[in-house]
Amino acid sequence: MLVLGIESSCDETAAAVVADGVGIRANIVASQVLTHEKYGGVVPELASREHLRTIEPVVGEACRQAQVTLRDLDAIAVTEGPGLIGSLLVGLVYAKALAFSLHKPLVGVNHLEGHIHSVLLENKMKRAEGNPVAEARLPAVVLVVSGGHTTLFRITDNPQTSPVFAYSRLGHTRDDAAGEAFDKVSKLLVLGYPGGPIIDRLSPFGNPQAVDFGHVKMKGNPLDFSFSGIKTAMLYRVRGTHFASEAEERRAWRKTVDHPTHEDIRAHCSQETLDLVASFQNAVVEDLVKRTLAAADACRFDTIFVAGGVACNSLLRQRFAEASQQQGFQVFFPSPALSTDNAAMIAAAGYYKLQAGERAGVSLTAHASLPLGFK
Ligand code: KG4
Ligand code: ZN
Protein backbone atom coordinates (compact mmCIF):
# COMPACT_ATOMS: atom_id res chain seq x y z
CA MET A 1 0.00 0.00 0.00
CA LEU A 2 1.52 3.29 -1.14
CA VAL A 3 0.53 6.15 1.15
CA LEU A 4 1.18 9.81 0.43
CA GLY A 5 1.72 11.65 3.73
CA ILE A 6 1.19 15.41 4.00
CA GLU A 7 2.31 17.47 7.00
CA SER A 8 1.96 21.23 7.45
CA SER A 9 1.19 21.74 11.15
CA CYS A 10 3.89 24.30 11.88
CA ASP A 11 6.76 25.66 9.81
CA GLU A 12 7.72 22.71 7.60
CA THR A 13 5.85 21.84 4.43
CA ALA A 14 6.35 18.11 4.03
CA ALA A 15 5.25 15.28 1.78
CA ALA A 16 6.36 11.63 1.73
CA VAL A 17 5.55 8.41 -0.04
CA VAL A 18 5.76 5.35 2.21
CA ALA A 19 5.14 1.74 1.16
CA ASP A 20 3.32 -0.57 3.61
CA GLY A 21 4.06 1.67 6.58
CA VAL A 22 7.78 0.86 6.44
CA GLY A 23 9.49 1.67 3.13
CA ILE A 24 10.26 5.37 2.65
CA ARG A 25 10.24 6.01 -1.10
CA ALA A 26 10.48 9.79 -0.67
CA ASN A 27 10.53 12.14 2.30
CA ILE A 28 10.59 15.82 1.30
CA VAL A 29 10.70 18.64 3.85
CA ALA A 30 10.67 22.32 2.84
CA SER A 31 11.86 24.24 5.87
CA GLN A 32 10.70 27.80 6.54
CA VAL A 33 13.62 28.57 8.86
CA LEU A 34 14.86 31.41 6.66
CA THR A 35 11.41 33.06 6.73
CA HIS A 36 11.07 32.99 10.52
CA GLU A 37 14.74 33.38 11.47
CA LYS A 38 14.69 37.17 11.74
CA TYR A 39 11.71 37.04 14.15
CA GLY A 40 13.32 34.40 16.38
CA GLY A 41 10.15 32.26 16.22
CA VAL A 42 7.39 31.09 13.89
CA VAL A 43 5.08 33.84 12.60
CA PRO A 44 1.77 32.00 11.97
CA GLU A 45 0.53 34.16 9.08
CA LEU A 46 3.84 33.91 7.25
CA ALA A 47 3.88 30.15 7.84
CA SER A 48 0.44 29.72 6.19
CA ARG A 49 1.52 31.75 3.17
CA GLU A 50 4.71 29.72 2.80
CA HIS A 51 2.75 26.46 2.98
CA LEU A 52 0.43 27.72 0.22
CA ARG A 53 3.42 28.53 -1.96
CA THR A 54 5.24 25.26 -1.32
CA ILE A 55 2.65 22.51 -0.90
CA GLU A 56 2.26 21.73 -4.58
CA PRO A 57 5.98 21.59 -5.48
CA VAL A 58 6.72 19.53 -2.36
CA VAL A 59 4.07 16.92 -3.17
CA GLY A 60 5.27 16.91 -6.80
CA GLU A 61 8.86 16.36 -5.69
CA ALA A 62 7.85 13.51 -3.36
CA CYS A 63 6.07 11.74 -6.25
CA ARG A 64 9.02 12.38 -8.58
CA GLN A 65 11.52 10.96 -6.09
CA ALA A 66 9.31 7.97 -5.37
CA GLN A 67 8.87 7.50 -9.14
CA VAL A 68 5.11 7.38 -8.88
CA THR A 69 2.26 9.43 -10.27
CA LEU A 70 -0.62 10.58 -8.08
CA ARG A 71 -2.74 7.83 -9.65
CA ASP A 72 -0.33 5.14 -8.36
CA LEU A 73 -1.02 6.12 -4.76
CA ASP A 74 -3.33 3.92 -2.72
CA ALA A 75 -4.26 6.48 -0.07
CA ILE A 76 -3.50 9.89 1.42
CA ALA A 77 -2.76 10.61 5.08
CA VAL A 78 -2.74 14.18 6.36
CA THR A 79 -2.06 15.90 9.68
CA GLU A 80 -5.36 17.16 11.11
CA GLY A 81 -3.91 18.70 14.32
CA PRO A 82 -2.65 19.87 16.70
CA GLY A 83 -0.77 22.85 15.27
CA LEU A 84 -1.21 26.31 13.82
CA ILE A 85 -4.71 26.42 12.38
CA GLY A 86 -3.82 28.32 9.20
CA SER A 87 -0.87 26.04 8.52
CA LEU A 88 -2.87 22.87 9.17
CA LEU A 89 -5.66 24.00 6.87
CA VAL A 90 -3.34 24.38 3.89
CA GLY A 91 -2.18 20.75 4.04
CA LEU A 92 -5.59 19.43 4.97
CA VAL A 93 -7.55 21.18 2.23
CA TYR A 94 -4.90 20.22 -0.32
CA ALA A 95 -5.02 16.55 0.78
CA LYS A 96 -8.82 16.53 0.72
CA ALA A 97 -8.93 17.99 -2.78
CA LEU A 98 -6.38 15.43 -4.00
CA ALA A 99 -8.19 12.51 -2.38
CA PHE A 100 -11.61 13.42 -3.68
CA SER A 101 -10.49 14.30 -7.19
CA LEU A 102 -8.45 11.07 -7.47
CA HIS A 103 -11.07 8.93 -5.65
CA LYS A 104 -8.44 7.78 -3.14
CA PRO A 105 -9.08 7.00 0.54
CA LEU A 106 -8.09 9.75 2.96
CA VAL A 107 -7.22 9.52 6.63
CA GLY A 108 -6.51 12.25 9.20
CA VAL A 109 -3.53 11.77 11.54
CA ASN A 110 -2.78 13.41 14.87
CA HIS A 111 0.64 15.09 14.61
CA LEU A 112 1.73 13.56 17.94
CA GLU A 113 0.71 10.11 16.78
CA GLY A 114 2.90 10.77 13.74
CA HIS A 115 5.88 11.57 15.99
CA ILE A 116 5.28 8.35 17.93
CA HIS A 117 5.16 6.38 14.69
CA SER A 118 8.48 7.86 13.60
CA VAL A 119 10.09 5.61 16.24
CA LEU A 120 8.31 2.49 14.97
CA LEU A 121 9.01 3.43 11.35
CA GLU A 122 12.72 3.88 11.99
CA ASN A 123 12.92 0.62 13.91
CA LYS A 124 11.07 -1.37 11.24
CA MET A 125 13.19 0.18 8.49
CA LYS A 126 16.43 -0.72 10.24
CA ARG A 127 15.28 -4.27 10.88
CA ALA A 128 14.07 -4.66 7.30
CA GLU A 129 17.54 -3.55 6.14
CA GLY A 130 19.05 -6.32 8.28
CA ASN A 131 20.42 -4.09 11.04
CA PRO A 132 20.79 -6.08 14.26
CA VAL A 133 18.63 -3.75 16.37
CA ALA A 134 16.16 -4.82 19.03
CA GLU A 135 12.48 -4.66 18.09
CA ALA A 136 10.63 -1.60 19.42
CA ARG A 137 7.77 -3.43 21.11
CA LEU A 138 4.67 -2.20 22.88
CA PRO A 139 3.69 -1.40 25.58
CA ALA A 140 5.91 1.64 25.92
CA VAL A 141 6.16 5.04 27.51
CA VAL A 142 6.64 7.77 24.91
CA LEU A 143 8.12 11.22 25.40
CA VAL A 144 7.11 13.56 22.56
CA VAL A 145 9.33 16.59 22.96
CA SER A 146 9.40 19.37 20.38
CA GLY A 147 8.89 23.09 19.86
CA GLY A 148 5.16 22.72 20.44
CA HIS A 149 4.86 19.75 22.80
CA THR A 150 6.34 18.08 25.83
CA THR A 151 4.05 15.18 26.62
CA LEU A 152 4.37 11.72 28.10
CA PHE A 153 2.09 9.00 26.75
CA ARG A 154 1.46 5.42 27.63
CA ILE A 155 0.99 3.41 24.45
CA THR A 156 -0.38 -0.10 24.18
CA ASP A 157 -1.75 -2.32 21.44
CA ASN A 158 -5.49 -1.93 21.42
CA PRO A 159 -6.91 -5.45 21.11
CA GLN A 160 -10.33 -4.10 20.09
CA THR A 161 -9.11 -2.14 17.11
CA SER A 162 -5.75 -3.74 16.40
CA PRO A 163 -3.48 -2.69 14.69
CA VAL A 164 -4.40 0.80 15.86
CA PHE A 165 -2.78 1.65 19.16
CA ALA A 166 -4.26 3.02 22.38
CA TYR A 167 -2.73 6.13 23.92
CA SER A 168 -3.22 7.69 27.31
CA ARG A 169 -1.63 10.92 28.40
CA LEU A 170 0.49 10.62 31.52
CA GLY A 171 1.87 14.15 31.76
CA HIS A 172 2.15 17.34 29.81
CA THR A 173 3.92 20.69 30.01
CA ARG A 174 1.95 23.29 31.92
CA ASP A 175 3.65 26.18 30.13
CA ASP A 176 6.43 26.16 27.52
CA ALA A 177 7.43 23.13 25.49
CA ALA A 178 11.08 22.12 25.96
CA GLY A 179 11.99 23.08 22.37
CA GLU A 180 10.29 26.43 22.86
CA ALA A 181 12.47 27.02 25.95
CA PHE A 182 15.59 26.23 23.89
CA ASP A 183 14.41 28.65 21.18
CA LYS A 184 13.55 31.44 23.66
CA VAL A 185 16.85 31.16 25.54
CA SER A 186 18.70 31.26 22.24
CA LYS A 187 16.74 34.36 21.23
CA LEU A 188 17.52 36.02 24.59
CA LEU A 189 21.23 35.38 24.15
CA VAL A 190 21.11 36.18 20.41
CA LEU A 191 22.60 32.81 19.44
CA GLY A 192 20.38 32.13 16.43
CA TYR A 193 17.24 30.31 15.33
CA PRO A 194 16.10 27.62 15.89
CA GLY A 195 17.84 27.57 19.25
CA GLY A 196 17.81 23.83 20.01
CA PRO A 197 20.44 22.68 17.52
CA ILE A 198 22.67 25.71 18.26
CA ILE A 199 22.57 25.22 22.05
CA ASP A 200 23.20 21.50 21.47
CA ARG A 201 26.37 22.31 19.48
CA LEU A 202 27.63 25.02 21.89
CA SER A 203 27.02 23.15 25.15
CA PRO A 204 29.92 20.67 24.98
CA PHE A 205 32.23 23.72 25.21
CA GLY A 206 30.69 24.90 28.47
CA ASN A 207 30.52 23.58 32.03
CA PRO A 208 27.06 22.07 32.62
CA GLN A 209 27.48 22.42 36.39
CA ALA A 210 28.48 26.11 36.32
CA VAL A 211 24.97 27.43 37.03
CA ASP A 212 22.49 25.61 39.25
CA PHE A 213 18.97 26.08 37.87
CA GLY A 214 17.59 23.85 40.62
CA HIS A 215 15.06 21.08 40.19
CA VAL A 216 11.54 21.75 38.99
CA LYS A 217 9.02 20.63 41.61
CA MET A 218 5.54 19.91 40.28
CA LYS A 219 2.49 20.13 42.50
CA GLY A 220 -0.16 17.60 41.55
CA ASN A 221 0.91 15.31 38.74
CA PRO A 222 4.67 14.61 39.08
CA LEU A 223 4.76 13.58 35.41
CA ASP A 224 3.83 17.09 34.24
CA PHE A 225 6.57 19.44 33.05
CA SER A 226 7.23 23.15 33.49
CA PHE A 227 10.04 25.07 31.81
CA SER A 228 8.92 28.63 32.48
CA GLY A 229 10.84 28.70 35.80
CA ILE A 230 14.17 27.82 34.15
CA LYS A 231 13.44 30.31 31.39
CA THR A 232 12.66 33.10 33.86
CA ALA A 233 15.73 32.27 35.96
CA MET A 234 17.72 32.64 32.75
CA LEU A 235 16.06 35.98 32.00
CA TYR A 236 17.00 37.39 35.44
CA ARG A 237 20.54 36.09 35.12
CA VAL A 238 21.00 37.80 31.75
CA ARG A 239 19.00 41.05 31.92
CA GLY A 240 21.10 44.13 32.65
CA THR A 241 24.33 42.13 33.04
CA HIS A 242 27.46 41.53 30.98
CA PHE A 243 25.60 38.57 29.38
CA ALA A 244 23.13 41.08 27.89
CA SER A 245 25.85 43.40 26.57
CA GLU A 246 27.65 40.43 25.06
CA ALA A 247 24.35 39.37 23.41
CA GLU A 248 24.00 42.89 21.94
CA GLU A 249 27.51 42.61 20.51
CA ARG A 250 26.44 39.34 18.89
CA ARG A 251 23.35 41.07 17.48
CA ALA A 252 25.54 43.69 15.82
CA TRP A 253 27.85 40.97 14.48
CA ARG A 254 24.91 38.86 13.21
CA LYS A 255 23.87 41.79 10.99
CA THR A 256 27.18 41.48 9.16
CA VAL A 257 26.97 37.72 8.40
CA ASP A 258 24.27 35.82 6.58
CA HIS A 259 24.50 32.26 7.84
CA PRO A 260 27.17 31.88 10.50
CA THR A 261 28.42 28.38 11.32
CA HIS A 262 28.22 26.98 14.85
CA GLU A 263 31.99 27.59 15.11
CA ASP A 264 31.46 31.27 14.19
CA ILE A 265 28.78 31.59 16.87
CA ARG A 266 30.97 29.87 19.45
CA ALA A 267 33.83 32.23 18.62
CA HIS A 268 31.47 35.09 19.55
CA CYS A 269 30.57 33.61 22.94
CA SER A 270 32.54 34.11 26.15
CA GLN A 271 33.35 31.07 28.30
CA GLU A 272 30.78 32.32 30.83
CA THR A 273 28.05 32.34 28.16
CA LEU A 274 29.00 28.83 27.06
CA ASP A 275 28.83 27.72 30.72
CA LEU A 276 25.39 29.32 31.08
CA VAL A 277 24.09 27.67 27.93
CA ALA A 278 25.50 24.25 28.89
CA SER A 279 23.94 24.53 32.36
CA PHE A 280 20.57 25.44 30.87
CA GLN A 281 20.64 22.46 28.50
CA ASN A 282 21.71 20.18 31.33
CA ALA A 283 18.81 21.32 33.55
CA VAL A 284 16.22 20.77 30.80
CA VAL A 285 17.63 17.38 29.80
CA GLU A 286 17.86 16.14 33.40
CA ASP A 287 14.23 17.07 33.94
CA LEU A 288 13.05 15.36 30.73
CA VAL A 289 14.95 12.16 31.52
CA LYS A 290 13.93 12.09 35.19
CA ARG A 291 10.19 12.36 34.49
CA THR A 292 10.27 9.92 31.57
CA LEU A 293 12.01 7.28 33.69
CA ALA A 294 9.52 7.93 36.49
CA ALA A 295 6.67 7.40 34.00
CA ALA A 296 8.18 4.11 32.82
CA ASP A 297 8.56 3.03 36.47
CA ALA A 298 4.98 4.00 37.27
CA CYS A 299 3.67 1.99 34.28
CA ARG A 300 6.13 -0.85 34.99
CA PHE A 301 7.18 -0.71 31.32
CA ASP A 302 10.78 -1.24 30.26
CA THR A 303 10.42 0.30 26.80
CA ILE A 304 10.72 4.03 26.15
CA PHE A 305 10.29 5.91 22.87
CA VAL A 306 11.57 9.48 22.49
CA ALA A 307 10.34 11.52 19.51
CA GLY A 308 10.01 15.12 18.28
CA GLY A 309 12.59 17.76 17.35
CA VAL A 310 14.28 17.85 20.78
CA ALA A 311 14.90 14.09 20.42
CA CYS A 312 17.82 15.19 18.17
CA ASN A 313 19.57 16.58 21.26
CA SER A 314 22.93 14.87 21.84
CA LEU A 315 22.90 15.17 25.63
CA LEU A 316 19.34 13.83 25.82
CA ARG A 317 20.36 10.81 23.76
CA GLN A 318 23.45 10.29 25.89
CA ARG A 319 21.55 10.52 29.18
CA PHE A 320 18.89 8.08 28.00
CA ALA A 321 21.58 5.70 26.77
CA GLU A 322 23.22 5.82 30.22
CA ALA A 323 19.90 5.26 31.96
CA SER A 324 19.08 2.36 29.69
CA GLN A 325 22.39 0.69 30.55
CA GLN A 326 22.22 1.37 34.28
CA GLN A 327 18.53 0.76 34.85
CA GLY A 328 17.67 -1.80 32.20
CA PHE A 329 15.34 0.29 30.05
CA GLN A 330 15.29 -0.04 26.27
CA VAL A 331 15.17 3.42 24.73
CA PHE A 332 14.33 4.01 21.06
CA PHE A 333 14.90 7.24 19.12
CA PRO A 334 14.18 8.01 15.45
CA SER A 335 17.07 9.25 13.31
CA PRO A 336 17.35 13.09 13.38
CA ALA A 337 15.60 13.39 9.98
CA LEU A 338 12.59 11.52 11.34
CA SER A 339 12.69 13.27 14.73
CA THR A 340 11.85 16.74 13.44
CA ASP A 341 8.60 17.37 11.57
CA ASN A 342 8.25 15.22 8.47
CA ALA A 343 5.50 13.55 6.45
CA ALA A 344 6.92 9.99 6.44
CA MET A 345 5.76 9.66 10.04
CA ILE A 346 2.26 10.84 9.02
CA ALA A 347 2.12 8.32 6.16
CA ALA A 348 3.33 5.55 8.51
CA ALA A 349 0.73 6.38 11.18
CA GLY A 350 -1.93 6.72 8.48
CA TYR A 351 -1.10 3.28 7.12
CA TYR A 352 -2.17 1.60 10.37
CA LYS A 353 -5.41 3.55 10.46
CA LEU A 354 -6.17 2.66 6.86
CA GLN A 355 -5.41 -0.99 7.59
CA ALA A 356 -7.91 -0.81 10.44
CA GLY A 357 -10.54 0.48 8.01
CA GLU A 358 -10.48 4.13 9.07
CA ARG A 359 -11.54 6.61 6.36
CA ALA A 360 -12.09 10.36 6.58
CA GLY A 361 -15.07 11.95 4.91
CA VAL A 362 -15.68 15.43 3.56
CA SER A 363 -16.21 16.67 7.12
CA LEU A 364 -12.52 16.16 8.03
CA THR A 365 -11.19 19.46 9.31
CA ALA A 366 -8.20 20.88 11.17
CA HIS A 367 -8.09 21.24 14.97
CA ALA A 368 -5.44 23.46 16.53
CA SER A 369 -5.65 21.62 19.89
CA LEU A 370 -6.51 18.11 18.77
CA PRO A 371 -5.92 15.82 21.76
CA LEU A 372 -4.35 12.37 21.56
CA GLY A 373 -5.49 9.69 23.99
CA PHE A 374 -7.25 9.98 27.32
CA LYS A 375 -6.05 12.25 30.09
O1 KG4 B 1 9.30 18.40 16.00
P1 KG4 B 1 9.74 19.74 15.52
O2 KG4 B 1 10.42 19.80 14.18
O3 KG4 B 1 8.52 20.73 15.40
C1 KG4 B 1 7.51 20.81 16.35
O4 KG4 B 1 6.55 19.97 16.28
O5 KG4 B 1 7.65 21.68 17.22
O6 KG4 B 1 10.64 20.39 16.66
C2 KG4 B 1 11.27 21.63 16.52
C3 KG4 B 1 11.91 21.97 17.84
C4 KG4 B 1 12.51 23.37 17.91
O7 KG4 B 1 12.10 23.99 19.11
C5 KG4 B 1 14.02 23.10 17.92
O8 KG4 B 1 14.76 24.11 18.61
C6 KG4 B 1 14.09 21.78 18.62
O9 KG4 B 1 12.98 21.05 18.13
N1 KG4 B 1 15.34 21.05 18.33
C7 KG4 B 1 16.28 20.76 19.26
C8 KG4 B 1 17.34 20.14 18.56
N2 KG4 B 1 17.00 20.04 17.25
C9 KG4 B 1 15.76 20.61 17.12
N3 KG4 B 1 16.31 21.01 20.57
C10 KG4 B 1 17.41 20.60 21.25
N4 KG4 B 1 18.47 20.01 20.65
C11 KG4 B 1 18.48 19.74 19.33
N5 KG4 B 1 19.52 19.15 18.76
ZN1 ZN C 1 6.27 18.09 15.59
Side-chain angles (χ1 to χ4, degrees):
M1 184 192 264
L2 274 185
V3 179
L4 170 71
I6 295 181
E7 151 66 36
S8 68
S9 65
C10 190
D11 61 339
E12 327 274 2
T13 320
V17 178
V18 177
D20 299 327
V22 61
I24 300 183
R25 299 278 181 86
N27 188 19
I28 309 295
V29 181
S31 164
Q32 300 180 1
V33 163
L34 296 180
T35 304
H36 304 290
E37 195 176 26
K38 54 180 167 295
Y39 306 101
V42 179
V43 183
E45 187 52 37
L46 295 182
S48 314
R49 283 187 220 166
E50 280 293 301
H51 285 306
L52 269 176
R53 223 170 45 79
T54 344
I55 187 89
E56 191 148 26
V58 164
V59 170
E61 184 55 27
C63 289
R64 242 186 316 280
Q65 256 192 35
Q67 298 187 317
V68 295
T69 66
L70 289 172
R71 301 213 170 272
D72 298 327
L73 299 168
D74 294 302
I76 298 169
V78 63
T79 306
E80 55 179 320
L84 300 171
I85 192 69
S87 291
L88 285 165
L89 277 168
V90 176
L92 192 115
V93 170
Y94 188 85
K96 258 167 104 168
L98 263 190
F100 295 119
S101 62
L102 295 165
H103 304 288
K104 304 281 181 190
L106 174 71
V107 71
V109 173
N110 185 302
H111 181 76
L112 299 178
E113 188 170 17
H115 273 304
I116 294 170
H117 272 270
S118 67
V119 179
L120 294 164
L121 172 62
E122 176 89 28
N123 187 256
K124 286 202 187 110
M125 256 167 35
K126 282 201 178 130
R127 289 172 62 84
E129 285 162 6
N131 276 317
V133 291
E135 188 180 357
R137 285 217 190 108
L138 301 182
V141 157
V142 189
L143 171 68
V144 180
V145 59
S146 69
H149 310 276
T150 305
T151 308
L152 281 165
F153 291 101
R154 175 182 190 278
I155 164 172
T156 52
D157 270 317
N158 186 347
Q160 273 88 48
T161 57
S162 187
V164 174
F165 310 120
Y167 307 93
S168 56
R169 205 172 89 173
L170 300 169
H172 185 63
T173 181
R174 295 189 192 166
D175 38 63
D176 290 351
E180 193 180 354
F182 272 96
D183 295 340
K184 286 180 177 167
V185 162
S186 183
K187 185 175 180 180
L188 175 72
L189 292 171
V190 195
L191 297 171
Y193 173 81
I198 298 171
I199 290 178
D200 187 358
R201 293 288 290 272
L202 294 179
S203 293
F205 298 94
N207 173 5
Q209 313 300 338
V211 180
D212 183 4
F213 284 101
H215 296 287
V216 183
K217 290 191 188 67
M218 299 305 300
K219 282 196 184 130
N221 183 2
L223 301 181
D224 274 349
F225 297 90
S226 168
F227 297 106
S228 66
I230 299 179
K231 194 190 65 186
T232 310
M234 190 67 144
L235 191 66
Y236 286 136
R237 203 165 270 273
V238 170
R239 214 185 245 164
T241 68
H242 61 286
F243 287 119
S245 18
E246 189 189 311
E248 285 318 309
E249 281 168 26
R250 267 191 301 276
R251 196 184 309 283
W253 162 69
R254 291 294 300 246
K255 286 186 183 140
T256 67
V257 280
D258 265 348
H259 302 295
T261 63
H262 291 117
E263 286 71 28
D264 292 336
I265 299 169
R266 177 158 59 89
H268 285 80
C269 291
S270 65
Q271 188 56 48
E272 262 189 291
T273 292
L274 294 172
D275 290 346
L276 186 63
V277 161
S279 303
F280 161 78
Q281 175 178 271
N282 192 53
V284 173
V285 166
E286 291 299 330
D287 193 74
L288 291 170
V289 174
K290 184 182 82 184
R291 286 182 215 283
T292 307
L293 296 183
D297 264 341
C299 295
R300 298 181 190 278
F301 291 173
D302 57 11
T303 304
I304 294 171
F305 296 176
V306 187
V310 182
C312 296
N313 187 270
S314 326
L315 185 67
L316 188 75
R317 285 178 182 244
Q318 186 192 320
R319 286 280 187 274
F320 269 119
E322 287 162 8
S324 67
Q325 280 198 338
Q326 289 160 8
Q327 299 175 43
F329 291 107
Q330 273 203 310
V331 187
F332 295 90
F333 284 90
S335 61
L338 289 180
S339 297
T340 48
D341 287 351
N342 67 86
M345 68 185 195
I346 302 301
Y351 168 77
Y352 288 95
K353 295 182 158 232
L354 290 156
Q355 288 285 84
E358 211 177 301
R359 300 287 184 272
V362 274
S363 60
L364 180 72
T365 189
H367 294 281
S369 322
L370 188 71
L372 177 67
F374 305 101
K375 277 186 215 166

